[in-house]
Amino acid sequence: MRAVLYSSVIALVCSLVGTPLVIRMLVKRGYGQLIRDDGPKNHLTKRGTPTMGGIVIVLSTLIAYGATKLATQHWPSASALLVLFLMTGLGAVGFVDDFIKIYKQRSLGLRAKAKLIGQALVAVIFAVLVLHFPDQYGLTPGSTSVSFLTDTTLVLGPVLFVVWAYLLISGTSNAVNLTDGLDGLATGASAMVFAAYVLIGIWQYGQSCVNAPGPGCYAVRDPLDLAIVAAALMGACFGFLWWNAKPAKIFMGDTGSLALGGALAGLAICSRTELLIALLGGLFAIITLSVIIQVGSFKLRGKRVFKMAPLQHHFELLGWAEETIVIRFWIIAGLCVALGIGVFYAGWVTGS
């Protein structure tokens, strides 16, 4: 269990100390955020704020996990490495997107098709690999069964699983990306969900079918190592939030939002809690739903439901202060995490 603490503290320190160094480097090179003209007008004051800060979160997580493995003298697990691959791969797609925005001085980076291809390539590689690397008990990092609190009886088969995993990864990464619109909003909400996965990983380890065989045990390949990864991500987010809170000194950009969304999806797949992520990440789901409603309503009825989508910008145009929106959305995120953890625990109680 010490490894979980090591991982979170190392990532926190790396992110807290590393972020101002990256800020100075980005400012020196003029890598500032470009603001869309059709967005809220008060966002124009944020023009020029350094972006691509997600680099700090990704590197802090990788350093923390690697240092923890060295400190504890344990080999990295397949599950953890695959989640880190998914995070880094999607972060790289986001980095290219952010860099193009800055280099070409436009608010849109990669073309939609190119961005989707990049996300799909990383997601499909992850989905294929996650069904391999069985341990001595025959457990692989992922399963072809659709999971909620554990694997359900709905078995997809390898091909359909790859499709399902792609949809889950794409949906989650884009949901975090949509949420990243106000200072600290996505960072704080993500940290809460990663904290939930720390608890889930530790609980699954204690009640695993290897350590505690019996009714209600969890057939998860590397639950404790997944908790270590989640702890590193949580610590990295909290350290970054110190500099990302309003007024933000740096933005995570697509580099960070795609990476965090990918990490969440990877943790959900490898911990066999794929559908539970909709509860744990309820805020991300709500914000994504607001965009779907807005687009659908405009195409079908020619009318908009919200003043602007995603949802946080609707409240901005209603006159809410940015800090008020962020704090209230954090409260919603916290309630969703609490609900998800409650459902997870209730499932163990009723199933044991």
Side-chain angles (χ1 to χ4, degrees), residues 81-213:
L81 291 177
L82 285 170
V83 172
L84 293 174
F85 161 76
L86 183 59
M87 174 195 72
T88 306
L90 290 181
V93 174
F95 176 84
V96 173
D97 186 54
D98 287 333
F99 186 80
I100 290 174
K101 291 176 186 176
I102 295 167
Y103 183 76
K104 295 193 174 181
Q105 289 294 296
R106 67 188 192 197
S107 59
L108 296 176
L110 278 173
R111 301 299 180 188
K113 185 177 180 181
K115 194 172 182 180
L116 287 173
I117 290 174
Q119 289 177 289
L121 180 62
V122 175
V124 168
I125 293 174
F126 169 84
V128 171
L129 293 178
V130 86
L131 296 179
H132 294 78
F133 309 108
D135 61 8
Q136 63 268 38
Y137 305 101
L139 292 173
T140 55
S143 168
T144 55
S145 298
V146 174
S147 60
F148 179 38
L149 307 178
T150 57
D151 283 343
T152 67
T153 56
L154 177 58
V155 181
L156 299 175
V159 176
L160 285 179
F161 169 77
V162 171
V163 175
W164 162 244
Y166 163 70
L167 293 174
L168 184 65
I169 293 166
S170 178
T172 306
S173 59
N174 286 315
V176 177
N177 184 247
L178 290 171
T179 305
D180 183 32
L182 301 181
D183 295 355
L185 178 57
T187 311
S190 296
M192 295 182 203
V193 185
F194 288 128
Y197 271 109
V198 173
L199 296 176
I200 288 173
I202 293 173
W203 185 261
Q204 288 179 332
Y205 175 72
Q207 306 297 328
S208 72
C209 295
V210 174
N211 298 328

Side-chain angles (χ1 to χ4, degrees), residues 4 20 35 39 99 149 161 215 240 267 335 351:
V4 175
I35 305 298
F99 186 80
L149 307 178
F161 169 77
F240 185 76
L267 288 169
L335 291 172

Side-chain angles (χ1 to χ4, degrees), residues 240-257:
F240 185 76
L241 183 60
W242 183 271
W243 305 100
N244 184 231
K246 185 175 175 63
K249 302 295 189 297
I250 188 171
F251 299 137
M252 70 167 69
D254 282 17
T255 307
S257 59

